[in-house]
């Protein structure tokens, strides 16, 4: 609900964390002055884990930048450069820098309200998802490493491997072969190819397949 300051703020936080895969502490430390506009594009200077300064610049995608702009314009118009980027709206701490636990709870509540009520899903899940998505989409582990700010690509690969384990269908292949479903391997190959496609390409492929099935059925009837 972006009609309130709390909702507008939470929406901006969610958009940035989900697209950029930032750590909670990186958002909590951010100040108004860390926001930069270069040639119409929005950037945010953040302090990475193990760093003593805000020396990493992340690019905010259009949706995240628009959400942040709406929040700052509507509710933080008088903020100064040294003020926190995100502030508390609770009665006791209103106007003060939002805490890490508060951001974590915000994300948890959003996930639960969206139907993802699982104790394993947390704010950190957004970070893992962002790194995995860009790695799978590009096939380049270093792109995921760069997005997440990992000093070593092996750290990023753990996220990708965890997702691969969830999508693993090997046991189904074994069962299908045991029970005589010999076409299982071919289906697995097709599914693996399909999983590597972008969402747009998947939609186009499904449309083409549906048209092909319709054509074959029509030919059989005639």
């Amino acid at each position: 609900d972006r009609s309130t300051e709390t909702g507008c703020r939470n929406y901006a936080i969610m958009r940035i964390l989900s697209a950029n895969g930032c750590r909670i502490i990186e958002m909590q430390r951010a100040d108004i002055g860390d926001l930069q506009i270069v040639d119409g594009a929005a950037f945010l200077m953040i302090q990475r884990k193990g760093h003593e300064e805000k020396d990493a610049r992340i690019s905010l995608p259009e949706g995240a930048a628009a959400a942040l702009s709406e929040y700052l314009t509507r509710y933080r118009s008088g903020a100064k450069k040294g003020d926190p980027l995100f502030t508390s709206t609770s009665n006791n701490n209103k106007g003060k820098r939002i805490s890490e636990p508060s951001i974590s709870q915000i994300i948890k509540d959003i996930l639960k309200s969206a139907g993802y009520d699982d104790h394993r899903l947390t704010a950190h899940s957004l970070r893992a998802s962002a790194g995995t998505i860009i790695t799978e989409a590009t096939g380049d582990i270093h792109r995921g490493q760069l997005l997440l700010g990992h000093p070593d690509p092996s750290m990023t690969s753990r996220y990708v491997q965890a997702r691969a384990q969830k999508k693993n269908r090997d046991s189904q292949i074994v069962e299908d072969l045991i029970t005589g479903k010999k076409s299982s391997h071919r289906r697995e190959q097709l599914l693996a190819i399909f999983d590597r496609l972008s969402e747009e390409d998947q939609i186009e492929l499904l449309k083409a397949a549906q048209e092909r099935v319709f054509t074959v059925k029509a030919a059989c009837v005639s």
Side-chain angles (χ1 to χ4, degrees):
D1 180 9
R2 290 150 61 192
S3 65
T4 67
E5 179 179 355
T6 299
C8 200
R9 179 202 63 192
N10 293 355
Y11 182 69
I13 291 174
M14 184 69 175
R15 291 298 296 259
I16 296 174
L17 291 179
S18 60
N20 289 89
C22 299
R23 297 179 178 88
I24 297 299
I25 185 63
E26 293 168 350
M27 285 294 92
Q28 193 266 346
R29 288 171 174 167
D31 295 328
I32 294 292
D34 298 326
L35 183 63
Q36 302 177 351
I37 305 297
V38 181
D39 295 330
F43 297 88
L44 186 65
M45 298 300 298
I46 62 174
Q47 183 179 344
R48 291 291 194 190
K49 184 178 181 180
H51 291 223
E52 296 183 358
E53 298 180 357
K54 296 176 180 177
D55 52 5
R57 189 173 74 167
I58 62 172
S59 174
L60 300 181
E62 293 181 0
L68 182 58
S69 177
E70 179 183 15
Y71 164 63
L72 295 178
T73 300
R74 291 176 58 183
Y75 299 105
R76 304 291 306 287
S77 58
K80 300 177 181 179
K81 289 186 177 181
D83 292 342
L85 185 62
F86 296 109
T87 58
S88 173
T89 56
S90 65
N91 292 331
N92 294 335
N93 298 304
K94 187 172 179 61
K96 296 181 180 179
R97 186 181 301 275
I98 193 170
S99 67
E100 287 184 70
S102 293
I103 297 178
S104 295
Q105 190 60 53
I106 286 169
I107 300 303
K108 185 66 177 179
D109 290 343
I110 291 175
L111 291 173
K112 290 176 68 175
S113 66
Y116 301 103
D117 189 3
D118 190 313
H119 72 277
R120 294 167 296 184
L121 296 177
T122 65
H124 190 76
S125 300
L126 300 184
R127 178 170 169 77
S129 294
T132 301
I133 289 171
I134 189 61
T135 299
E136 290 186 342
T138 63
D140 186 352
I141 189 70
H142 295 289
R143 295 280 291 274
Q145 176 191 3
L146 181 63
L147 179 70
L148 301 182
H150 281 152
D152 190 317
S154 64
M155 300 175 69
T156 312
S157 68
R158 288 203 293 266
Y159 294 147
V160 181
Q161 290 170 1
R163 179 175 171 86
Q165 290 174 352
K166 293 178 183 178
K167 297 168 66 176
N168 192 309
R169 301 187 181 93
D170 287 352
S171 60
Q172 186 62 53
I173 294 175
V174 173
E175 181 184 84
D176 289 348
L177 291 173
I178 290 174
T179 56
K181 297 180 179 179
K182 296 182 179 179
S183 62
S184 176
H185 182 59
R186 182 176 296 177
R187 292 199 307 273
E188 182 65 22
Q189 288 178 317
L190 291 173
L191 287 171
I193 294 173
F194 187 79
D195 285 341
R196 289 196 294 269
L197 298 175
S198 66
E199 184 177 357
E200 183 178 351
D201 288 338
Q202 288 178 349
I203 294 173
E204 291 300 319
L205 182 59
L206 288 174
K207 288 181 180 179
Q210 289 171 343
E211 291 175 359
R212 175 62 177 167
V213 170
F214 179 79
T215 302
V216 171
K217 286 184 177 180
C220 292
V221 172
S222 63

